[in-house]
Amino acid sequence: MAKAQKKVVILLVEGDTDELLLIERLRQLFKEKEIRFEPQHGDIFYQRERKEQAIKEVIGEKVKEILMKRKFKPSNVLAVLHILDTDGCFIAPEHITVDAEQSILTQYNAECITVNSEEQKSRIEERNEIRSRNVHTMSKATQIAQYAYQAYYFSRHLEHVVFNEMNPCKEDKFEKIENFLETLEMPIEQFLAQYMPVEQQDEYSMAHEKSWEFIAENMNSLKQYTNASLMFQFLENDSKHI
């Protein structure tokens, strides 16, 4: 008798550290599923050359591209899950300020984003306007192309949640994550649940909706939060709530 093929879960992420942080635990818990991380190495929610294109279209094209590249049968795909960085995209324009003495283009702070020129301020304002709109759209999406879809976030990004570093050094990111996992004394989903901004109720969809409403308010998309622990709940439920 032929062995049944595992259902595929495609995980869209911004960089490789997301996979390093999560893959071992996901594979341990969900052996019956094939978990495939697909790092985008860029910001799919803000591409200036495609800013007029509907974000669902952009992500749908990316998913189809992945299926062709990996030779996945559409019938074998259980869900497309998406983990993104908030990067302060929901804050009001008045909280993007210019500091001409700043040596770097953009600095993220607890209550504002500082930039080193008016030109960079305009860039970040445009990015936030487009990115927040696109993220908002996908936060409410439950399907992309023909597949179940759910979006989750790290705020401001993964390193902020794990190490409380808003502007981390890029050079030692992998080593720091590896050291963190070696010394972590609880399952990663339990660690992440500590930074869930709303009560992680038994009813998944309500917690998911409220967590997105929270992060879009005021300065919250610059704060240390994540709803990524809900992803584990989604996979446990086998997407039956959708």
Side-chain angles (χ1 to χ4, degrees):
M1 185 176 176
K3 187 178 178 181
Q5 281 190 304
K6 291 182 177 182
K7 287 290 186 179
V8 176
V9 176
I10 296 171
L11 251 164
L12 301 175
V13 293
E14 294 198 15
D16 297 310
T17 51
D18 300 81
E19 180 173 5
L20 182 60
L21 182 73
L22 298 167
I23 187 61
E24 188 174 333
R25 181 61 174 162
L26 287 170
R27 286 180 175 165
Q28 180 185 32
L29 289 175
F30 307 110
K31 295 183 175 70
E32 76 286 1
K33 298 175 176 67
E34 182 176 349
I35 310 291
R36 293 298 298 260
F37 277 76
E38 295 290 342
Q40 299 307 295
H41 301 295
D43 189 355
I44 199 169
F45 291 95
Y46 175 61
Q47 299 174 341
R48 296 189 76 182
E49 70 278 7
R50 303 180 74 176
K51 64 183 180 181
E52 302 302 325
Q53 189 177 1
I55 189 61
K56 284 188 176 180
E57 214 175 275
V58 172
I59 294 174
E61 288 173 6
K62 176 57 66 175
V63 170
K64 289 173 186 174
E65 180 186 310
I66 290 167
L67 262 65
M68 288 184 65
K69 182 180 176 182
R70 305 296 183 199
K71 297 182 170 57
F72 293 142
K73 291 181 180 178
S75 59
N76 281 346
V77 176
L78 176 67
V80 176
L81 306 183
H82 202 157
I83 305 177
L84 59 101
D85 299 337
T86 61
D87 285 334
C89 70
F90 293 111
I91 70 171
E94 58 263 31
H95 298 295
I96 304 168
T97 60
V98 176
D99 178 358
E101 296 182 3
Q102 184 172 291
S103 60
I104 58 174
L105 281 174
T106 308
Q107 175 91 14
Y108 293 87
N109 311 285
E111 299 297 333
C112 66
I113 298 173
T114 53
V115 295
N116 66 354
S117 67
E118 289 292 339
E119 184 181 4
Q120 182 65 1
K121 184 177 191 290
S122 296
R123 287 196 200 102
I124 296 298
E125 286 177 353
E126 181 192 50
R127 181 205 70 172
N128 278 8
E129 180 186 352
I130 294 168
R131 198 172 194 277
S132 62
R133 183 172 66 242
N134 288 338
V135 170
H136 178 74
T137 296
M138 296 315 297
S139 72
K140 294 182 175 298
T142 58
Q143 197 168 36
I144 197 74
Q146 65 194 72
Y147 311 107
Y149 173 94
Q150 293 284 271
Y152 308 95
Y153 59 79
F154 283 119
S155 179
R156 170 181 90 89
H157 48 41
L158 182 152
E159 289 78 17
H160 189 195
V161 172
V162 176
F163 305 116
N164 196 23
E165 293 179 3
M166 293 193 75
N167 301 279
C169 174
K170 292 182 179 180
E171 283 71 28
D172 60 352
K173 283 164 68 168
F174 285 95
E175 186 179 349
K176 287 188 73 171
I177 293 289
E178 286 173 346
N179 291 339
F180 166 77
L181 290 171
E182 284 177 10
T183 58
L184 185 64
E185 296 180 346
M186 64 181 76
I188 186 62
E189 68 273 21
Q190 191 176 327
F191 173 84
L192 295 174
Q194 298 175 114
Y195 299 97
M196 178 73 175
V198 298
E199 187 179 344
Q200 193 158 332
Q201 307 163 26
D202 292 335
E203 211 287 293
Y204 167 90
S205 57
M206 182 65 73
H208 185 263
E209 181 182 349
K210 285 185 175 180
S211 70
W212 275 108
E213 288 173 355
F214 176 90
I215 210 66
E217 293 174 349
N218 305 318
M219 309 300 292
N220 291 344
S221 58
L222 282 173
K223 307 291 186 183
Q224 189 184 18
Y225 294 111
T226 181
N227 65 354
S229 58
L230 287 173
M231 177 179 64
F232 291 83
Q233 191 175 336
F234 177 92
L235 291 170
E236 285 170 10
N237 294 344
D238 234 10
S239 74
K240 289 176 184 174
H241 53 273
I242 287 184

